[in-house]
Amino acid sequence: MSQFPNQHGLTEHSHGAVVPLQIRIDRPKSTSVSDFPAISKTQDLWRYLDVEQLAGLDADVLGEYKEQVSYTSQQGLSISWIPSTDARVGSIGIPEDRVAAAAYTNASETLLVEINESLSEPATLSVTGTSKTASALHIFVVTKPHVEATLVLDYRGLGVLGENVEIAVGDESRLNLVSVQTWDKGSVHVSAHYAKLGRNSLLKHTVATFGGDLVRVTPISTLSSPGAEVEMNGVYFANSGQHIENRPFVDHAAANCKSRVTYKGALSGDKAHTVWIGDVLIRVAAEGTDTYELNRNLLLTDGTRADSVPNLEIETGEIQGAGHASASGRFDDEQLFYLQARGVSEAEAKRLVVFGFLLELIQRTNVPEVIESLSKVLEEKLGVN
Amino acid sequence: MSVLEIKNLHVTVETEQGVKEILKGVDLTIRSGEIHAIMGPNGSGKSTLAYSIAGHPKYTVTEGEILLDGEDVLAMSVDERARAGLFLAMQYPVEIPGVSVSNFLRTAKTAITGEAPALRTWIKDVRESMDNLRMDASFSERNVNEGFSGGEKKRHEILQLELLKPRFAVLDETDSGLDVDALKIVSEGVNRAHKANDLGVLLITHYTRILKYIKPDFVHVFVAGKVAEEGGAELAERLEAEGYDRYTKAN
Ligand SMILES: Nc1ncnc2c1ncn2[C@@H]1O[C@H](COP(=O)(O)OP(=O)(O)OP(=O)(O)O)[C@@H](O)[C@H]1O
Ligand SMILES: [Mg+2]
């Protein structure tokens, strides 16, 4: 099962024993900033970050994103701005941390994305930052029952953005949601996703992060209707000075649901830092749960740091299967030598290994434009440290 | 006709106790089509010689030279040496996560020949070589050496030898860990490459049994970092019977 053989400095973490969560259910939730303490490294939620890195996203007052967001219309899709006082806003999930609360309070309008019919083409929401003013955005995605659609959230430009994204997947629906972060240097993006899955629905959720000084995504999938299935994928590449943090959480609240969490990342260059905290909670009612979560990191150079912590909390014994694995391995001199001894240059060897490692997850999005543009981004990132 | 010349080669490694000289003046000349067997006790420096020819960064050449048709091999990077026609089948092939065998082979072939192989003939060539080596087609989609058994790793090395068509190959204990059938299959692979490409072979082994399948023109006894004696195939028989005592005592 290990991707990395032991002889290459593997730190393998893979066992059936339960690592207790700090009781995820009891985590405080609020839409009000003042309900959360000032951010500090002593809090588990923020322990890997310095508050300065948040570039003001924890403040009481933020700007708002509106003209920065663009989209094209298409048959079966309706997109509009609604007041955030609308009853739907907050119905899928509310903030569990201070930055999300600040974004929630400051986004006076919410972008409502209604998928009413199956979409023949992927829909794209483009968010293009233009300044370092700390700002807020709230997106609410809802699909009707029995539809199938792909939605791409595409973040780029220079921005400092705090965000909440609610995702309501209708009964028997299949939603493929891809969030792509290729921000410019200097950007900060902290985004909380809340997905609730209807009966027998399927959500494929991908977080692909390549650009930005700090990008932190905390996606929550709530499986509260029987037969729902979620596939949460993540792919990331941190260069020198970048901090990429992913904290996926699957909440198994109903019976016979399935979840697969797969995040893979590469790190290259001094102080490239990635954090992956994968939480899975299997509640008493969630009999017949089938879950597996995995995180792999590939360290391409010295001076990088990959933190990886899987947490599994199980409240019922009647489950199908629950497993997790996490490993960080080096692309080491022996691997490089082996490839070079077959005529492959050093640069090409790295390319081969990184593409082999990350491309699979990019391809799983099934969105040709995303696959093509991220392949290019990967090429570029391999060229720098 | 090519020639690989190793002249007075001295090689050191960094150890925790300091720099240690392992090769102490190796002289060896291999011509196209020749098969040279190297036999010698554990720790005598055989793998060090193999790695030094391939250019492993862990080994430092302090004296001597390696020439390929008069060209200075020591001045070449590892990948340049491979492209110049040198091949090392490793004693312990390395696992490469995330890279499939098929992708790896195609990339290596492209690097060696300087252009991507024509897809249809390439796929056919790979399949044929895999069939010959009794490697299941499913190996193409597996990651390089990952989870391969010892014997499967060795077959994979010889698969590369057949497909990449080097001028000279160093086979470092390719026979170790092979069952009797696999030994025959792998030997046939080496013989095919030898015949097809007029390959020069440097075969490092502990056992005479492989020499029943791959007939050496020369046998070198390697002791304490250099060649202690040279002879024909009959020398291997004698080593099998007598061991290395004669040489190690003299040291
Ligand atoms: N990196 C290293 N650090 C320390 N010692 C080394 C290193 N590499 C090789 N050596 C030492 O050099 C000597 C020669 O090793 P080498 O692997 O070349 O032997 P060998 O003849 O191939 O042995 P075997 O038959 O067991 O494969 C050994 O004593 C070994 O311990
Ligand atoms: Mg050896």
Side-chain angles (χ1 to χ4, degrees), chain A residues 167-384:
Chain A
I167 304 157
V169 186
D171 290 349
E172 315 274 343
S173 269
R174 301 165 78 86
L175 177 63
N176 176 25
L177 186 135
V178 187
S179 186
V180 182
Q181 290 70 234
T182 53
W183 294 100
D184 292 346
K185 199 167 163 33
S187 298
V188 176
H189 185 195
V190 178
S191 184
H193 288 206
Y194 318 84
K196 199 173 218 166
L197 282 77
R199 187 172 34 82
N200 296 331
S201 69
L202 176 78
L203 171 66
K204 183 154 73 176
H205 182 275
T206 306
V207 180
T209 302
F210 295 90
D213 288 7
L214 161 64
V215 177
R216 182 193 208 248
V217 183
T218 51
I220 299 174
S221 293
T222 304
L223 302 172
S224 50
S225 300
E229 181 176 339
V230 69
E231 179 182 330
M232 298 177 82
N233 297 325
V235 54
Y236 47 93
F237 191 133
N239 282 120
S240 191
Q242 278 186 292
H243 178 114
I244 298 175
E245 186 162 330
N246 288 289
R247 292 175 174 253
F249 169 40
V250 184
D251 188 350
H252 276 275
N256 303 319
C257 293
K258 180 176 168 183
S259 61
R260 289 288 178 274
V261 180
T262 310
Y263 275 65
K264 283 185 176 187
L267 298 85
S268 174
D270 201 31
K271 300 214 167 61
H273 189 188
T274 66
V275 176
W276 180 85
I277 312 288
D279 290 349
V280 173
L281 167 64
I282 304 172
R283 295 181 194 250
V284 180
E287 291 184 359
T289 287
D290 176 7
T291 178
Y292 195 84
E293 56 168 349
L294 171 141
N295 176 230
R296 299 240 182 262
N297 296 294
L298 181 63
L299 281 44
L300 293 167
T301 66
D302 288 332
T304 60
R305 175 174 164 190
D307 289 292
S308 179
V309 186
N311 294 308
L312 188 54
E313 182 178 4
I314 306 179
E315 297 184 329
T316 172
E318 305 297 313
I319 55 170
Q320 274 251 329
H324 60 194
S326 135
S328 298
R330 280 204 56 110
F331 175 55
D332 67 14
D333 293 344
E334 294 304 324
Q335 294 172 359
L336 180 61
F337 172 73
Y338 189 78
L339 290 168
Q340 284 189 289
R342 300 302 180 245
V344 181
S345 69
E346 180 171 354
E348 176 69 7
K350 277 198 173 171
R351 206 192 72 88
L352 188 66
V353 167
V354 172
F355 267 72
F357 190 66
L358 297 183
L359 205 60
E360 182 208 346
L361 281 173
I362 295 174
Q363 280 166 343
R364 272 200 224 170
T365 63
N366 267 330
V367 185
E369 298 79 18
V370 168
I371 296 166
E372 196 180 317
S373 75
L374 289 185
S375 300
K376 281 201 196 113
V377 170
L378 259 187
E379 288 280 4
E380 284 163 24
K381 290 191 68 94
L382 278 166
V384 289

Side-chain angles (χ1 to χ4, degrees), chain B residues 15 20 22 42-48 58-59 91 173 206:
Chain B
T15 71
K20 180 180 167 193
I22 297 172
N42 294 132
S44 56
K46 304 180 299 296
S47 291
T48 302
K58 215 163 63 182
Y59 301 94
Q91 187 174 358
E173 293 198 28
H206 285 296

Side-chain angles (χ1 to χ4, degrees), chain A residues 35-84:
Chain A
D35 283 345
F36 296 97
I39 289 171
S40 102
K41 274 199 151 165
T42 60
Q43 296 150 17
D44 219 45
L45 271 179
W46 301 104
R47 57 182 294 198
Y48 298 100
L49 282 167
D50 290 318
V51 68
E52 297 78 47
Q53 290 178 274
L54 293 169
L57 287 176
D58 56 332
D60 290 319
V61 180
L62 303 175
E64 277 191 71
Y65 266 23
K66 191 164 177 180
E67 356 21 309
Q68 291 86 344
V69 185
S70 64
Y71 44 85
T72 50
S73 55
Q74 117 171 227
Q75 171 75 30
L77 178 70
S78 149
I79 304 180
S80 59
W81 289 95
I82 57 170
S84 294

Side-chain angles (χ1 to χ4, degrees), chain B residues 77-118:
Chain B
S77 65
V78 177
D79 46 309
E80 281 168 351
R81 294 179 198 202
R83 293 198 293 270
L86 300 180
F87 181 88
L88 167 62
M90 289 179 212
Q91 187 174 358
Y92 303 108
V94 182
E95 303 189 8
I96 308 192
V99 179
S100 69
V101 166
S102 73
N103 191 10
F104 165 70
L105 292 174
R106 195 160 15 87
T107 305
K109 184 67 181 176
T110 306
I112 298 274
T113 58
E115 59 179 353

